[in-house]
Amino acid sequence: METCLPVSTAALIVSSQLIFTAFFALILVWQKFTPYTVNTVVLLTIGAVVLALCGSSDKPQGESGKTYTLGFVMTFVAAVLSGLLFPAIELLYIKGRQAVTCTLVLEIQMVISFAATLFSTVGMFVVNDFKAIANEAREFQLGEAKYYVVLISGAIVWQVNTLGAVGIIFCASSLVTGIISSVLLPIQQVLAVVIFHDKFQAEKGLSLVLCLWGFVSHLYGEYKAAKKKKSDEVKESEMTPAAVP
């Protein structure tokens, strides 16, 4: 529903998926939380709430209030579902009887993409949306050919993005995946303002600062955990008695 919302607004709403990822990770995979992790989740979530308090002041010109609200709600629902998807994949890794390999990661990516394609195709058939593609291509400001280039490029980039998310869950955890997804927010906002000339109100600036603060908190927490682990290993090695010849 990005056509009903500015890109920067949609990106900020999607960032709320982190709180749902943390919630479902706690329930499904018993994710352990440190004070730094909790601080990160809280800050990134508050950043999304600050946007919601903006109301519809950044509503695109000519967009009805009903359509704007619908876009807001549907984008929020997508964030909730994404928050459930990541921990569900991690649970699959944990409960799976076979070893977690690169092949398994690719298989999961294929199943996710197939289900999404099937769901979207059925929806487009129901609302007869395939005819709109040709009309949109003709009205595309950069030309009809570039319209299809953008569609294909977007599909490829999205596949890479999803594969990366599934891979991060494989290498780390679903919570780390959610945090990294939220970190993309500053890049999306800057690009939206530069390319699409979206409005950048004070609320969005505050949300951006909170998100960056949250990410720094996560990095510092990881640094402290790694430092403590290294220190414990050194103490353990010093306490181990040397072998007597």
Side-chain angles (χ1 to χ4, degrees):
M1 296 299 294
E2 284 81 357
T3 55
C4 305
L5 298 173
V7 173
S8 56
T9 301
L12 284 166
I13 297 173
V14 171
S15 71
S16 66
Q17 76 177 38
L18 180 57
I19 188 64
F20 299 107
T21 300
F23 174 73
F24 290 119
L26 177 62
I27 295 177
L28 297 179
V29 298
W30 296 95
Q31 174 70 48
K32 294 182 179 179
F33 289 88
T34 66
Y36 298 103
T37 303
V38 173
N39 187 54
T40 298
V41 173
V42 170
L43 288 173
L44 291 174
T45 303
I46 292 177
V49 172
V50 167
L51 172 69
L53 296 178
C54 288
S56 58
S57 58
D58 61 347
K59 183 176 65 178
Q61 186 176 3
E63 197 74 70
S64 67
K66 181 179 179 181
T67 306
Y68 181 92
T69 302
L70 179 63
F72 194 100
V73 171
M74 294 186 69
T75 306
F76 182 76
V77 171
V80 176
L81 294 177
S82 295
L84 174 61
L85 177 63
F86 294 157
I89 294 175
E90 184 175 1
L91 180 63
L92 178 63
Y93 287 158
I94 296 174
K95 297 295 185 180
R97 295 183 178 180
Q98 66 181 103
V100 179
T101 62
C102 181
T103 301
L104 178 60
V105 173
L106 292 175
E107 289 175 352
I108 293 175
Q109 162 71 357
M110 183 182 67
V111 172
I112 293 174
S113 300
F114 177 78
T117 301
L118 181 62
F119 181 82
S120 301
T121 302
V122 171
M124 293 183 70
F125 269 120
V126 170
V127 298
N128 198 23
D129 209 20
F130 282 101
K131 293 182 179 179
I133 296 179
N135 295 331
E136 291 178 354
R138 286 192 294 268
E139 297 173 0
F140 194 59
Q141 295 180 356
L142 300 179
E144 187 171 351
K146 291 184 178 180
Y147 173 83
Y148 293 105
V149 171
V150 170
L151 284 184
I152 296 173
S153 300
I156 295 174
V157 171
W158 187 252
Q159 288 296 315
V160 174
N161 174 76
T162 306
L163 181 60
V166 175
I168 292 173
I169 298 173
F170 166 61
C171 297
S173 68
S174 57
L175 184 59
V176 173
T177 302
I179 291 174
I180 293 179
S181 297
S182 297
V183 171
L184 295 176
L185 171 63
I187 300 176
Q188 291 175 319
Q189 284 210 49
V190 171
L191 291 177
V193 172
V194 173
I195 298 175
F196 299 109
H197 307 291
D198 276 358
K199 296 178 181 179
F200 197 86
Q201 300 121 315
E203 293 88 346
K204 290 182 180 180
L206 176 59
S207 179
L208 179 60
V209 171
L210 289 171
C211 289
L212 292 175
W213 183 8
F215 181 57
V216 171
S217 176
H218 170 69
L219 291 180
Y220 184 72
E222 291 295 310
Y223 166 75
K224 293 284 288 185
K227 186 176 181 180
K228 184 177 183 302
K229 182 179 179 181
K230 184 176 180 180
S231 177
D232 292 341
E233 291 176 350
V234 171
K235 290 181 180 179
E236 184 178 350
S237 63
E238 291 177 350
M239 294 176 62
T240 304
V244 179

